[in-house]
Amino acid sequence: MFHLIWYLFVGLVSGLIAKSVMHVHMTTFWTIVLGIIGSIIGGGITHMLSRPTNRRYHPAGLIFSTLGAILVLFVCYKLNIHFPKVNLF
């Protein structure tokens, strides 16, 4: 159960960093989804390049999760894919 909460937290943090770098406005739900997708992409890349020394986590997890989320936002921007708009009253 703690792993699921940790995935959501890392997804939220990496999604927040990515959307602030790319200047995108989206809801918290889509920010977490973006971060989780970025974590999958970043985790796949880091596991292909080097295996983690311990079995719990890879030391570059948050960095590559954020880079993966930025890559997802960049691809969405190039393919003209839009996230649902945020209602600001």
Side-chain angles (χ1 to χ4, degrees):
M1 182 69 182
F2 182 70
H3 289 314
L4 294 176
I5 295 170
W6 183 250
Y7 290 147
L8 291 175
F9 178 72
V10 170
L12 177 65
V13 171
S14 63
L16 282 173
I17 295 170
K19 80 175 191 176
S20 67
V21 168
M22 297 294 287
H23 303 291
V24 176
H25 301 286
M26 63 178 72
T27 62
T28 305
F29 173 76
W30 287 110
T31 303
I32 293 173
V33 170
L34 171 70
I36 291 173
I37 292 171
S39 295
I40 292 169
I41 292 171
I45 291 171
T46 56
H47 279 26
M48 284 191 298
L49 297 177
S50 68
R51 296 301 246 180
T53 56
N54 58 9
R55 296 173 193 225
R56 290 188 175 253
Y57 66 93
H58 199 283
L62 185 62
I63 296 168
F64 276 92
S65 296
T66 304
L67 290 175
I70 290 172
L71 178 69
V72 169
L73 281 177
F74 180 75
V75 168
C76 287
Y77 175 73
K78 288 297 183 181
L79 294 177
N80 203 15
I81 298 171
H82 299 285
F83 291 97
K85 298 287 184 186
V86 177
N87 295 331
L88 297 174
F89 302 105

